[in-house]
Amino acid sequence: MRHLLLAACAATVLAACGSRNDSDSEPMKAQPSTATSIDDVALIPRDALFGNPERANVQISPDGRHLSWIAPVDGVLNVWVAPADDPGAARAVTQDTARGIRNYFWSHRPDTLLYLRDTGGDEDFHLYAVDLASGESRDLTPFEKTTAQVVGVSHLHPESILVGMNDRDPQWHDLYRVDLASGERTLVEENTQQIGGYLADADYTLRYALRSRPDGGQDVLRRDGDAWVEHDEIPFEDVLTTSPAGLTTDGKTLYMTDSRGRDTAALYAIDTASGEKTLVHEDPRADVGGGLSDPRTGRVQAVAVNYLREEWATLDDAIAADLETLEAIGPGEVSVNTRTLDDRTWVVAYSAAESPLVYYRYDRSAEGEAGTLTRLFSGRPALDDQPLVPQWPVEIASRDGKTLVSYLTLPAHADPDGDGKPDTATPMVLLVHGGPWGRDGYGFSSYNQWLANRGYSVLQVNFRGSTGFGKAFTNAGDGEWAGKMHDDLIDAVQWAVQQGVTGEDQVAIMGGSYGGYATLVGLTFTPDTFACGVDIVGPANLNTLLATVPPYWASFFEQLARRMGDPRTEEGRAWLTERSPLTHADRISKPLLIGQGANDPRVKQAESDQIVAAMQEKNIPVTYVLFPDEGHGFARPENSKAFNAVAEGFFSTCLGGRAQPIGEDLAGSSITVPTGADGVPGLAEALQAHTQDVRK
């Protein structure tokens, strides 16, 4: 819920275990390129970048008996399961034929896995249980307009899980214990006290809860018998950087990431009986992020901090040799996807900016020494021999002295010696992350590789308001939508021009969600800076955005009002109006492409409709792409390929890069183009030959 517009789920990632200096955080020098122009670089097909992965999200069951992953069935992603010692015997255990399944996990009940699925991108996620023995799939939350929240999964109670459901009150989730065999739910607590989140121990006993305050802060509540009592408080300025991080299995230790009394969030261990607080790990540059915990005890064994790159500190010598073994896979990063309950077997995934995911099975040594790595699969083997390029962390100074951690991706022909410094200026795409309370980081990105392969440099900027760099940096974005947050992006563009990355008239802006808003701001507030823009599900009217947030965001609304502008006051509404691109739509003078999902619950279709209508009223050209079976972003690969085919042609007209013809890349998609098809080469003709395929 903290990432307002584009929420992302990241795996636990390992790079170097232990400390290292910033210079060691940069990628190794890339292989020299013989390309002297973009035409010397092989064109990577869009399908290889944006089509279905061959395998994704590989896991091992807690009992170690099954391997599982996401893979296509007739072009639709489903869950596959195989014996752990025979991956070749895999079979699909779900039968989705529409949007596909992307989010699943194992329960502790033997042969039972769980997955989440919404309808058409509406984010009303239902929770399903699959029994491998019977093949039965059961909806555990069979209620309309209900978004399931998984609160507890415990090996001490393998027969059940804790699930929040908002079928009684759309704003607040009641808590239930759900039997995995029968689907029967038993009420644990009716949420009549506006609880925003629950924390239960491994025995499913409620221990702590969070409740928002009118000032935008939070109360930490502690269970006392059948009642909640105020236990602690989190001030407004610390809410985005302070939260409970889990309990140990015995319930004796509460972990907290905490920025109170400091800037960057550190990890603390709190004795739940005495309240004694012990510092576990801190870093003055960035907040503590991911962690590895013992699957039986819940004790934290390693923690990560991400400044330029992810850096790990080992806290438990029992896994030190294991982490060193994983680090030795390569100079990229390794994610630990899952661990068996006995901790004998891990599934890990390796990738680097220029290397898509490769999955491994890791069998630990009984003597605490290095274990054995077995390569399982490449996630996207179609990219294995393609001309992928590195990504370079850089630090850019803002006009008022802030350090903007950013990432630069250069086309192969622009950096022939592979040192991360351009020898040739190229057109550039400023790719703006969503949130805005999120961040960009190092790693493989289909978007970066796609744009670089078409001849564009790509710059990603962690502007003020981004998270991960301490609360002062995050809070510096308060009240700065279309203000200093945008100034940071402009400063980064000027840096790129000064460094010879690009020319002043060769920069486009692109982003999703908040990044889409930033695109609209770029073309309205600074209309001379960008050659064109691509807005994906970006809000145009901040007043209507805040008037239509999902009801279950109620606990977060005070945060939005204080950080953006309060729509309940005349002053706040005036501010939101002034900072809305819709108000300034008549300033748009450069080409604009808009992509929208009709079922988006966060940024409603009306946001895009409004600015398209305003531009049409002023006779300002715009290309508007609408998908009737998508929500906040494009989940179906067919739709993603279709939109990116349009965007590629769009960029070729305003930046001059190369473009693979649209060809068959609309096939299987639900694409509609209400206006502006003539603005993209070949789009009108492709639409005439296209048969729309809507799948919800």
Side-chain angles (χ1 to χ4, degrees):
M1 189 175 294
R2 288 183 177 173
H3 304 300
L4 165 60
L5 301 179
L6 276 187
C9 296
T12 303
V13 179
L14 285 77
C17 302
S19 62
R20 62 184 181 185
N21 61 44
D22 289 347
S23 62
D24 293 334
S25 298
E26 296 186 0
M28 297 177 63
K29 185 178 177 70
Q31 292 295 319
S33 170
T34 58
T36 58
S37 76
I38 191 61
D39 294 330
D40 296 328
V41 182
L43 189 80
I44 304 174
R46 280 189 297 267
D47 186 65
L49 291 161
F50 301 110
N52 277 320
E54 184 169 295
R55 292 180 180 87
N57 196 3
V58 182
Q59 300 184 30
I60 192 164
S61 60
D63 58 14
R65 296 174 53 224
H66 305 290
L67 276 176
S68 57
W69 56 83
I70 299 289
V73 176
D74 297 329
V76 179
L77 292 178
N78 276 277
V79 183
W80 292 65
V81 174
D85 58 357
D86 188 9
R91 61 186 176 93
V93 299
T94 61
Q95 294 80 41
D96 195 280
T97 60
R99 288 175 56 76
I101 296 167
R102 291 162 181 81
N103 189 351
Y104 82 98
F105 57 97
W106 285 93
S107 76
H108 289 279
R109 182 175 185 262
D111 298 338
T112 303
L113 59 79
L114 306 167
Y115 69 90
L116 291 158
R117 189 192 187 283
D118 70 348
T119 301
D122 62 5
E123 297 188 16
D124 286 336
F125 285 100
H126 283 225
L127 178 66
Y128 295 82
V130 179
D131 186 300
L132 302 186
S134 67
E136 179 185 8
S137 180
R138 180 192 300 275
D139 187 351
L140 301 178
T141 56
F143 310 102
E144 290 190 7
K145 295 296 181 182
T146 297
T147 300
Q149 293 182 348
V150 179
V151 175
V153 179
S154 173
H155 66 275
L156 299 184
H157 295 280
E159 78 292 340
S160 61
I161 60 173
L162 294 181
V163 184
M165 304 184 206
N166 61 335
D167 55 302
R168 180 188 61 82
D169 182 339
Q171 290 187 300
W172 307 104
H173 283 70
D174 299 327
L175 189 62
Y176 292 89
R177 187 163 174 167
V178 179
D179 184 89
L180 294 174
S182 67
E184 181 181 356
R185 67 175 185 173
T186 303
L187 183 65
V188 175
E189 173 154 302
E190 186 172 289
N191 187 355
T192 59
Q193 299 186 55
Q194 299 186 344
I195 302 297
Y198 291 100
L199 180 60
D201 62 24
D203 206 33
Y204 291 162
T205 300
L206 291 179
R207 301 290 296 275
Y208 299 95
L210 295 174
R211 182 170 60 200
S212 294
R213 298 200 309 261
D215 65 358
Q218 284 184 326
D219 287 323
V220 180
L221 309 177
R222 177 176 51 81
R223 194 69 165 187
D224 185 5
D226 293 330
W228 291 107
V229 297
E230 292 184 7
H231 172 71
D232 201 356
E233 65 177 42
I234 302 172
F236 165 78
E237 59 268 20
D238 292 284
V239 164
L240 293 180
T241 43
T242 301
S243 65
L247 285 158
T248 52
T249 301
D250 60 14
K252 294 181 179 180
T253 302
L254 170 68
Y255 290 106
M256 288 278 297
T257 54
D258 201 334
S259 63
R260 291 173 294 183
R262 51 183 300 124
D263 183 30
T264 58
L267 182 66
Y268 291 89
I270 302 170
D271 186 299
T272 56
S274 68
E276 182 181 356
K277 188 176 181 181
T278 303
L279 177 65
V280 176
H281 190 73
E282 64 179 341
D283 192 299
R285 303 167 304 161
D287 300 329
V288 168
L292 285 173
S293 298
D294 185 288
R296 278 197 175 274
T297 68
R299 296 206 169 272
V300 176
Q301 297 176 297
V303 292
V305 171
N306 188 344
Y307 184 61
L308 299 178
R309 292 273 303 267
E310 201 95 59
E311 303 175 25
W312 279 80
T314 304
L315 307 176
D316 185 349
D317 290 341
I319 64 168
D322 304 310
L323 300 189
E324 290 175 3
T325 301
L326 301 187
E327 180 190 349
I329 293 175
E333 295 177 343
V334 177
S335 62
V336 178
N337 284 14
T338 47
R339 302 160 73 171
T340 55
L341 187 59
D342 64 10
D343 212 21
R344 302 305 311 153
T345 306
W346 299 0
V347 168
V348 301
Y350 171 81
S351 72
E354 62 275 35
S355 173
L357 284 171
V358 177
Y359 295 95
Y360 294 85
R361 172 178 174 144
Y362 178 66
D363 292 292
R364 300 183 68 211
S365 167
E367 290 76 31
E369 300 174 353
T372 303
L373 272 170
T374 303
R375 189 181 189 276
L376 294 173
F377 327 106
S378 172
R380 289 187 178 270
L383 290 176
D384 286 351
D385 297 319
Q386 296 291 345
L388 305 180
V389 293
Q391 179 190 48
W392 304 92
V394 294
E395 296 173 295
I396 299 173
S398 72
R399 66 190 68 180
D400 58 354
K402 294 192 182 302
T403 299
L404 311 175
V405 171
S406 304
Y407 298 88
L408 179 65
T409 303
L410 297 169
H413 74 287
D415 184 21
D417 56 359
D419 65 353
K421 303 206 169 20
D423 291 8
T424 302
T426 65
M428 187 181 85
V429 177
L430 179 69
L431 190 59
V432 186
H433 72 68
W437 305 295
R439 63 161 291 173
D440 282 315
Y442 169 84
F444 175 79
S445 164
S446 292
Y447 269 82
N448 289 5
Q449 296 297 337
W450 166 56
L451 292 168
N453 185 257
R454 273 40 176 180
Y456 311 119
S457 296
V458 182
L459 183 61
Q460 298 163 280
V461 182
N462 286 306
F463 47 86
R464 72 192 68 200
S466 302
T467 54
F469 305 98
K471 67 184 180 187
F473 190 80
T474 298
N475 295 338
D478 293 354
E480 295 297 343
W481 287 47
K484 293 179 180 178
M485 294 165 75
H486 188 64
D487 290 345
D488 289 344
L489 298 177
I490 300 302
D491 292 347
V493 169
Q494 290 304 310
W495 173 89
V497 172
Q498 293 164 7
Q499 296 296 315
V501 174
T502 191
E504 284 192 352
D505 59 350
Q506 292 184 295
V507 182
I509 183 170
M510 177 182 190
S513 200
Y514 177 85
Y517 167 80
T519 297
L520 297 177
V521 168
L523 268 60
T524 52
F525 283 74
T526 53
D528 297 327
T529 300
F530 299 102
C532 56
V534 176
D535 153 35
I536 304 172
V537 297
N541 182 338
L542 298 185
N543 278 295
T544 54
L545 172 73
L546 291 180
T548 58
V549 296
Y552 48 86
W553 285 16
S555 65
F556 192 55
F557 191 82
E558 294 300 333
Q559 282 279 315
L560 302 181
R562 285 197 59 175
R563 295 186 186 277
M564 294 175 60
D566 194 336
R568 299 163 298 190
T569 68
E570 183 176 349
E571 180 183 9
R573 288 190 295 273
W575 187 95
L576 291 165
T577 299
E578 167 58 26
R579 300 302 173 95
S580 293
L582 179 65
T583 305
H584 312 287
D586 59 346
R587 299 180 186 173
I588 298 175
S589 59
K590 303 296 175 58
L592 174 62
L593 169 64
I594 294 177
Q596 179 68 46
N599 306 311
D600 192 338
R602 308 185 190 197
V603 178
K604 305 285 189 182
Q605 180 185 330
E607 293 297 318
S608 292
D609 289 349
Q610 288 178 80
I611 197 158
V612 168
M615 293 176 68
Q616 290 178 320
E617 185 179 340
K618 299 289 185 180
N619 294 316
I620 303 172
V622 60
T623 300
Y624 182 23
V625 178
L626 179 66
F627 294 94
D629 56 358
E630 292 289 3
H632 198 60
F634 311 138
R636 290 185 58 214
E638 296 88 350
N639 291 339
S640 180
K641 281 194 299 178
F643 182 79
N644 292 332
V646 175
E648 189 170 314
F650 174 82
F651 278 138
S652 72
T653 64
C654 64
L655 290 183
R658 62 180 178 174
Q660 176 187 351
I662 291 176
E664 298 297 319
D665 276 6
L666 303 190
S669 78
S670 66
I671 188 171
T672 66
V673 184
T675 188
D678 292 339
V680 176
L683 178 56
E685 295 79 5
L687 287 169
Q688 288 179 352
H690 173 59
T691 300
Q692 187 184 33
D693 188 357
V694 178
R695 299 195 182 192
K696 295 185 178 182

